[in-house]
C-alpha cells in the first residue's frame, strides 16, 4: 500500500512540474519589437495617422515579432528625430531625404507609387493657384506685389518646386511679394487662399484633388497658374516633376529589419487597404534623387546654401601646398635681402 501511495505521489509531483514548465513556456514568449516610422505630417497629425497607420498594421502582419508605429512629424521635428535616433525609418519629401542623407547618412530603400486614375506615378511636383474669380492673376508674373502663402520653407512640393519656377520667371519672393507667409500644412494653405486671406499659394500635387475628393473644397474653387500639361501626369501641375517620397532607414536601423520591410512593402498590392488609405499604388525600387539635389543647388538652399561661395577656409584647404611654397619663398627672399644688406654694410665699413 505504501508503495502504491509513493507511486501516486510521484505522478502528482510530475504532473505539477509539467504544468509549471508548460506555463513558463507560455509566459516566456519573446517580447515584441517596436519599430517606429517617422512620417512628415504634411496635412497634420490626424490625416497622417489616417493615411499611414494601415501600413503599420500591414507590416505587423507580414513581419512576425514586430509592432510598427507611425510617428507624425511636423517640419521642425524631422531633423531632431533623425539626429537623436528616436525613429527607425523616415518617410518624407524628397528634399528632406536629400538633406538627411548628406547630413545624417539615412539610406533610401523604396519610392512611393502615387495612385492615379489610370494606374500610378512615381513623380510629383507643385501647383500654384489662386481663386478662380481673380481676373488680375493669370501668369506667374502677375503675382508681383501680391500676397503669397506656401507650406514651409523646407516643404519641397509645397514651396521649393514653386520657388524654382518663380525664380525662372523673374519673381524674387523676398522683394516682389507684398507679403510671404507659411501655413505649416497643405490644408492651411488651401483654406487661406480659398478664404481670401492671401492672393495666391502653392501646395504639392495631388493635394487639391485629394481635398476635392474628400469634399473639403469645391472643384471650381481655384485657377491653376503656370499650368503644365503632361500626358503621363494627370494632376494639376505648375512646376517640373521630381521623384516621389522615399522611405529611408536610419544608420542605427539593422539591415536585416530594413530588408524585411522592403520585401513586405514591395509585395503590397495596389488593392490592399493600406495602399488605398495612403492613396498609393504600393512601392517600387528607389529612384534617382539627383534632380532634387540639382533643384536645391540652383536655389542655394538646404545643404547647398553656400554653393558657389568661396570662403577663406576653403581657400586654405584648396591651396594649402601652394600657400606653403609661396610663404617659404617669401621667407627665403627676406632672409637673402637681410643677408645682402648686412654684407654690404660690412664691405662699406672695411673700405672706410
Amino acid at each position: 500500500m505504501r508503495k502504491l501511495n509513493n507511486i501516486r505521489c510521484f505522478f502528482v509531483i510530475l504532473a505539477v512540474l509539467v504544468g509549471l514548465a508548460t506555463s513558463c513556456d507560455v509566459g516566456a514568449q519573446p517580447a515584441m519589437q517596436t519599430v517606429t516610422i517617422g512620417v512628415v505630417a504634411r496635412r497634420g497629425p490626424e490625416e497622417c495617422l489616417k493615411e499611414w497607420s494601415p501600413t503599420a498594421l500591414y507590416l505587423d502582419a507580414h513581419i512576425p515579432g514586430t509592432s510598427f508605429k507611425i510617428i507624425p512629424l511636423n517640419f521642425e521635428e524631422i531633423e531632431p528625430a533623425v539626429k537623436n535616433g528616436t525613429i527607425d525609418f523616415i518617410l518624407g519629401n524628397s528634399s528632406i531625404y536629400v538633406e538627411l542623407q548628406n547630413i545624417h547618412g539615412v539610406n533610401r530603400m523604396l519610392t512611393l507609387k502615387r495612385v492615379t486614375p489610370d494606374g500610378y506615378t512615381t513623380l510629383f511636383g507643385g501647383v500654384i493657384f489662386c481663386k478662380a474669380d481673380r481676373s488680375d492673376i493669370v501668369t506667374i508674373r502677375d503675382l508681383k506685389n501680391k500676397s503669397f502663402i506656401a507650406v514651409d520653407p523646407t516643404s519641397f512640393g509645397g514651396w521649393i518646386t514653386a520657388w524654382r519656377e518663380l525664380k525662372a520667371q523673374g519673381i524674387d519672393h523676398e522683394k516682389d511679394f507684398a507679403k510671404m507667409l507659411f501655413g505649416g500644412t497643405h490644408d492651411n494653405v488651401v483654406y487661406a487662399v480659398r478664404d481670401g486671406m492671401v492672393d495666391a499659394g502653392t501646395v504639392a500635387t495631388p493635394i487639391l484633388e485629394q481635398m476635392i475628393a474628400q469634399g473639403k473644397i469645391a472643384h471650381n474653387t481655384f485657377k491653376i497658374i503656370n499650368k503644365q500639361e503632361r500626358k503621363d501626369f494627370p494632376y494639376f501641375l505648375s512646376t517640373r516633376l521630381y521623384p516621389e517620397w522615399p522611405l529611408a532607414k536610419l544608420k542605427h536601423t539593422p539591415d536585416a529589419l530594413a530588408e524585411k520591410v522592403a520585401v513586405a512593402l514591395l509585395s503590397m498590392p495596389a488593392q490592399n487597404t493600406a495602399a488605398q488609405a495612403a492613396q498609393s499604388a504600393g512601392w517600387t525600387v528607389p529612384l534617382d534623387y539627383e534632380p532634387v539635389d540639382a533643384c536645391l543647388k540652383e536655389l542655394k538652399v538646404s545643404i547647398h546654401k553656400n554653393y558657389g561661395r568661396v570662403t577663406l577656409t576653403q581657400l586654405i584647404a584648396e591651396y594649402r601646398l601652394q600657400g606653403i611654397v609661396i610663404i617659404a619663398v617669401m621667407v627665403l627672399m627676406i632672409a637673402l635681402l637681410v643677408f645682402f644688406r648686412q654684407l654690404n654694410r660690412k664691405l662699406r665699413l672695411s673700405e672706410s
Side-chain angles (χ1 to χ4, degrees):
M1 179 67 76
R2 180 180 296 177
K3 185 175 181 180
L4 182 60
N5 288 335
N6 289 339
I7 293 173
R8 287 176 178 173
C9 287
F10 171 77
F11 280 109
V12 169
I13 293 170
L14 181 62
V16 171
L17 291 174
V18 170
L20 287 172
T22 304
S23 63
C24 287
D25 287 342
V26 172
Q29 292 179 347
M32 295 285 283
Q33 177 189 5
T34 300
V35 180
T36 52
I37 303 176
V39 181
V40 177
R42 63 179 185 171
R43 296 187 59 192
E46 291 184 7
E47 284 292 332
C48 178
L49 290 172
K50 188 187 299 183
E51 287 184 2
W52 296 105
S53 291
T55 296
L57 294 175
Y58 173 88
L59 291 171
D60 288 348
H62 287 76
I63 305 178
T66 57
S67 175
F68 285 81
K69 183 180 181 181
I70 301 298
I71 308 294
L73 300 171
N74 63 36
F75 289 97
E76 289 72 31
E77 294 170 334
I78 299 164
E79 201 271 342
V82 173
K83 181 180 179 180
N84 299 328
T86 55
I87 55 175
D88 301 303
F89 297 91
I90 179 69
L91 173 61
N93 74 49
S94 306
S95 64
I96 287 174
Y97 159 72
V98 170
E99 180 174 355
L100 294 176
Q101 193 274 331
N102 279 271
I103 298 175
H104 297 292
V106 305
N107 187 19
R108 67 184 184 272
M109 300 160 44
L110 303 167
T111 292
L112 183 68
K113 297 195 299 188
R114 185 75 62 183
V115 70
T116 68
D118 299 323
Y120 70 87
T121 179
T122 56
L123 301 172
F124 83 123
V127 55
I128 305 170
F129 60 99
C130 64
K131 291 186 72 172
D133 59 0
R134 292 295 298 265
S135 59
D136 59 325
I137 302 177
V138 179
T139 69
I140 281 182
R141 290 184 178 86
D142 296 328
L143 294 173
K144 194 169 185 178
N145 298 320
K146 302 293 194 300
S147 57
F148 193 86
I149 188 169
V151 179
D152 187 89
T154 62
S155 175
F156 192 65
W159 169 234
I160 295 175
T161 58
W163 178 7
R164 191 181 194 185
E165 305 308 321
L166 292 168
K167 182 175 180 288
Q169 298 203 34
I171 297 292
D172 183 341
H173 67 279
E174 294 181 338
K175 298 177 181 178
D176 295 332
F177 286 153
K179 182 169 58 175
M180 176 78 198
L181 302 173
F182 291 100
T185 68
H186 287 69
D187 292 40
N188 288 345
V189 171
V190 173
Y191 294 144
V193 178
R194 182 198 65 182
D195 298 340
M197 297 171 60
V198 289
D199 296 312
T202 184
V203 294
T205 61
I207 295 294
L208 291 181
E209 287 86 349
Q210 291 176 355
M211 294 182 71
I212 290 170
Q214 293 170 347
K216 294 186 174 183
I217 55 173
H219 180 76
N220 58 352
T221 302
F222 301 114
K223 173 170 56 179
I224 309 304
I225 303 168
N226 200 48
K227 190 173 183 179
Q228 305 294 304
E229 299 289 348
R230 293 285 298 265
K231 291 182 179 180
D232 57 340
F233 193 80
Y235 298 121
F236 298 136
L237 180 68
S238 303
T239 71
R240 279 160 267 200
L241 289 170
Y242 301 88
E244 259 287 1
W245 283 23
L247 175 68
K249 67 176 284 292
L250 272 65
K251 290 180 72 173
H252 73 265
T253 306
D255 290 341
L257 174 61
E259 289 171 6
K260 292 178 182 178
V261 170
V263 170
L265 292 179
L266 283 171
S267 303
M268 177 189 289
Q271 299 77 22
N272 188 275
T273 54
Q276 292 175 351
Q279 301 184 60
S280 77
W283 300 82
T284 188
V285 294
L287 300 187
D288 178 14
Y289 286 82
E290 191 280 331
V292 178
D293 189 70
C295 176
L296 300 179
K297 187 177 293 183
E298 179 181 322
L299 297 174
K300 297 181 181 179
V301 292
S302 183
I303 56 174
H304 297 300
K305 61 183 178 181
N306 293 319
Y307 178 72
R309 299 176 186 171
V310 179
T311 65
L312 180 60
T313 303
Q314 289 174 320
L315 283 173
I316 293 172
E318 183 73 20
Y319 299 104
R320 182 180 301 170
L321 181 59
Q322 294 92 325
I324 292 172
V325 172
I326 291 171
I327 292 171
V329 170
M330 290 176 65
V331 169
L332 179 60
M333 290 176 67
I334 292 170
L336 288 172
L337 180 62
V338 172
F339 171 76
F340 284 119
R341 280 187 175 181
Q342 291 178 344
L343 183 61
N344 287 333
R345 185 180 301 169
K346 289 179 180 179
L347 287 172
R348 285 196 300 268
L349 290 173
S350 65
E351 291 173 354
S352 60

